[in-house]
Amino acid sequence: MKSEDQTRFLLGISLSDRPKWQQFLICSFGFFFGYLVNGICEEYVYNRLQFSYGWYFTFVQGFVYLILIRLQGFTMKQMVNPWNTYVKLSGVLMGSHGLTKGSLAYLNYPAQIMFKSTKVLPVMIMGAFVPGLRRKYPFNEYISALLLVVGLILFTLADAQTSPNFSIIGVIMISGALIMDAFLGNFQEAIFTMNPETTQMEMLFCSTIVGIPFLLVPMVLTGELFKAWSSCSQHPYIYCVLVFEAMATFIGQVSVLSLIAIFGAATTAMITTARKAVTLLLSYIIFTKPLTECHGSGLLLISMGIILRMLPDTKPSPRVQGSNANAKKPKPLLQK
């Protein structure tokens, strides 16, 4: 876990003057609440309303974010990082969101979140190479990540036998989103580390406002913009679901940024894995999907991996700290 004590707020709740365990519980609750609602809404929109337009879904979500951030009182005058940092971040963020949501047209939702559950492994590997972090992890944490991967394989094999939506196109899309997510979490942590004055609202605002134009290109090239607009025009109530989902996801997104800033990318990845397991079970319960023994074995291994990751470390994970000058003066990250 990160040990830096910076002034942090979560939707008006002060985190800095609370013990670590309270910070963890508050951030985790906000994250679980936001993304559990998000998961249910996504399943409903894609499978019940047959609205399989992932890029447009993210496009609408971005505008809802901007409105909510403005209501939180954030203005561009409060920015402490250069725009080019967020251009790089937004390209990865929007690509990850679009591929994740688009993969739902080819994978059913449980298969999709099981793929995303393995994010902790590439996050750990990539954390060793991101400037400002250079993290190294103990052996038991890699074993934990391996259990997650094996659990994923068991689940996808079982899902391929029971679901007609399982396809290689979906696997490619979600794998691309997985790689982007691994870079994204470490890059966000590096921004918080190199410039501790960075707030969660700044990161979310800048990455969203820069990322929205990135979405126009694939939407126009694929024709999704016009198809989604036509579909929503015929069924306006879809917008109600999308806006409600975006509001819940906003809470989850601010919470996860707080977790990254306080506890680091790898710890946050394990928390997101736990959330995905809960969402998976809710998906099967609410939408009455068949579970097989292979599904159960995969879920068991994933649970073992989560428990192993939560065991206390015998020694703290080393990380190369930036200089005090770097902490006081923001620098663009990952410049060529």
Side-chain angles (χ1 to χ4, degrees):
M1 292 185 181
K2 296 174 71 176
S3 58
E4 295 88 345
D5 291 325
Q6 304 297 338
T7 302
R8 297 289 172 195
F9 291 87
L10 176 59
L11 302 176
I13 301 174
S14 176
L15 299 175
S16 302
D17 57 354
R18 299 173 183 271
K20 287 292 184 180
W21 68 269
Q22 288 187 15
Q23 295 177 14
F24 182 82
L25 288 179
I26 292 172
C27 295
S28 297
F29 177 80
F31 173 70
F32 268 78
F33 170 78
Y35 277 94
L36 283 175
V37 174
N38 164 267
I40 294 172
C41 288
E42 284 187 347
E43 180 86 357
Y44 179 75
V45 167
Y46 279 93
N47 292 339
R48 300 306 189 204
L49 302 183
Q50 299 299 311
F51 185 83
S52 57
Y53 303 108
W55 298 107
Y56 190 79
F57 198 121
T58 307
F59 187 71
V60 173
Q61 185 182 71
F63 284 101
V64 176
Y65 278 10
L66 294 178
I67 294 173
L68 294 175
I69 292 170
R70 186 65 187 90
L71 292 176
Q72 289 290 314
F74 178 83
T75 64
M76 287 190 290
K77 294 181 180 180
Q78 301 172 19
M79 287 180 56
V80 296
N81 291 298
W83 279 105
N84 65 334
T85 297
Y86 293 110
V87 170
K88 300 168 187 175
L89 181 66
S90 299
V92 178
L93 178 63
M94 290 302 172
S96 172
H97 281 193
L99 287 173
T100 298
K101 294 181 185 298
S103 68
L104 285 171
Y106 303 95
L107 297 173
N108 69 348
Y109 190 69
Q112 182 253 353
I113 62 173
M114 293 298 289
F115 264 96
K116 300 282 282 185
S117 294
T118 64
K119 183 175 72 173
V120 62
L121 182 56
V123 164
M124 293 167 64
I125 295 174
M126 197 167 292
F129 303 99
V130 174
L133 297 180
R134 307 298 185 187
R135 284 186 176 273
K136 294 182 180 179
Y137 297 93
F139 181 72
N140 70 295
E141 295 189 15
Y142 285 102
I143 295 297
S144 171
L146 182 61
L147 289 173
L148 293 177
V149 173
V150 175
L152 164 69
I153 294 174
L154 287 177
F155 178 86
T156 51
L157 288 176
D159 196 60
Q161 299 171 0
T162 60
S163 173
N165 290 330
F166 185 83
S167 74
I168 188 62
I169 297 177
V171 172
I172 293 173
M173 292 179 71
I174 199 63
S175 297
L178 189 65
I179 295 172
M180 290 184 178
D181 275 348
F183 177 79
L184 179 66
N186 283 296
F187 191 20
Q188 288 172 327
E189 184 182 353
I191 294 174
F192 284 125
T193 301
M194 300 295 287
N195 189 1
E197 297 301 316
T198 305
T199 64
Q200 301 96 307
M201 288 300 168
E202 174 187 335
M203 184 171 292
L204 188 56
F205 171 81
C206 294
S207 58
T208 300
I209 200 170
V210 174
I212 285 176
F214 280 94
L215 296 173
L216 291 175
V217 176
M219 283 196 299
V220 172
L221 291 178
T222 62
E224 180 174 316
L225 177 61
F226 310 104
K227 294 177 183 177
W229 178 267
S230 176
S231 178
C232 289
S233 299
Q234 297 175 10
H235 308 285
Y237 61 87
I238 292 178
Y239 279 118
C240 296
V241 180
L242 296 184
V243 170
F244 178 74
E245 182 270 346
M247 293 174 66
T249 309
F250 175 79
I251 297 175
Q253 188 63 47
V254 177
S255 299
V256 79
L257 288 175
S258 301
L259 286 167
I260 291 174
I262 298 172
F263 298 99
T267 298
T268 303
M270 290 305 301
I271 297 172
T272 61
T273 298
R275 187 270 307 177
K276 290 173 182 119
V278 174
T279 305
L280 171 67
L281 294 177
L282 287 178
S283 176
Y284 274 102
I285 294 173
I286 294 174
F287 298 101
T288 61
K289 297 178 181 180
L291 273 174
T292 66
E293 292 182 0
C294 199
H295 283 111
S297 299
L299 289 173
L300 178 61
L301 289 177
I302 288 174
S303 300
M304 292 171 60
I306 294 173
I307 294 173
L308 181 60
R309 176 61 180 82
M310 290 181 175
L311 294 177
D313 296 334
T314 56
K315 59 181 179 179
S317 300
R319 183 181 66 184
V320 175
Q321 297 288 348
S323 65
N324 292 334
N326 289 339
K328 294 179 181 180
K329 183 178 180 181
K331 293 183 178 180
L333 298 177
L334 304 182
Q335 288 185 335
K336 292 183 179 179

